[in-house]
Amino acid sequence: MNRQEIEKLPYRPCVGVMVVNASGHVFVGQRRDRDYDAWQMPQGGVDPGEDPRDAALRELEEETGITRDLVRVEAETEGWLPYELPHELVPKLWGGKYRGQEQKWFLLRFNGTDDQVNIATAEPEFAAWRWIAADDMLAGIVPFKRDVYAAVLAAFKDKL
């Protein structure tokens, strides 16, 4: 696909989840499908007709095993935050139908214990996980998502 074709594509509707534990640290998972050290917060697509908050809670459980009874939704971004995929990834992801994602982010307070996190899910997304300080998060994120993550940190900074 050339640049002009990619620019005509829509964004994929998606939710992102910032899970924060009692110590104020943020959950990040290391992606299984990348050949480099890529960490990210849970995220995933919004199904047609699905409420974004419900999608966030569904994605959280699908990717981390954390059930909705173990979290409290504390905030959400006002709008949707878009990011562009690197052009070489566009044809490889989502059947080449999207130029990137437009994300609604939710801040969730984790009220469980670490043994209630289970990334060995039906369709594992993460190879490893950890809690990190919010200030350290941007250093380990893939470059094309860094601006969105910075906006999410800014949106939720008062609640971290």
Side-chain angles (χ1 to χ4, degrees):
M1 299 179 92
N2 66 40
R3 185 176 299 276
Q4 292 77 20
E5 291 170 324
I6 291 171
E7 289 173 357
K8 291 178 184 175
L9 294 173
Y11 290 102
R12 176 179 181 246
C14 179
V15 290
V17 183
M18 177 181 270
V19 181
V20 179
N21 67 12
S23 300
H25 289 98
V26 178
F27 176 98
V28 293
Q30 185 177 35
R31 294 189 54 92
R32 295 174 54 97
D33 61 352
R34 299 289 180 262
D35 57 359
Y36 49 87
D37 194 24
W39 293 83
Q40 71 177 44
M41 292 183 279
Q43 64 177 54
V46 178
D47 294 333
E50 186 176 30
D51 176 75
R53 182 179 292 224
D54 290 336
L57 294 169
R58 174 183 53 76
E59 285 291 337
L60 178 67
E61 185 170 357
E62 287 176 3
E63 295 184 8
T64 69
I66 298 173
T67 54
R68 61 181 64 219
D69 61 307
L70 297 176
V71 295
R72 181 178 69 249
V73 178
E74 291 193 349
E76 65 183 78
T77 54
E78 281 190 36
W80 294 73
L81 304 173
Y83 73 83
E84 307 280 334
L85 287 170
H87 286 166
E88 68 274 7
L89 290 181
V90 172
K92 298 175 184 176
L93 297 175
W94 311 301
K97 296 188 300 188
Y98 302 103
R99 67 192 287 177
Q101 296 195 99
E102 189 172 52
Q103 300 178 313
K104 179 77 154 170
W105 280 85
F106 294 85
L107 174 65
L108 278 60
R109 186 70 54 178
F110 180 59
N111 299 311
T113 57
D114 285 0
D115 65 333
Q116 292 172 299
V117 177
N118 178 18
I119 60 170
T121 60
E123 295 181 33
E125 178 129 354
F126 300 125
W129 70 275
R130 63 184 180 188
W131 298 105
I132 63 169
D135 292 342
D136 297 334
M137 190 166 32
L138 293 181
I141 302 304
V142 293
F144 64 89
K145 292 183 182 180
R146 216 165 267 148
D147 288 346
V148 167
Y149 274 51
V152 170
L153 284 168
F156 297 153
K157 70 179 176 194
D158 295 339
K159 297 193 180 299
L160 299 175

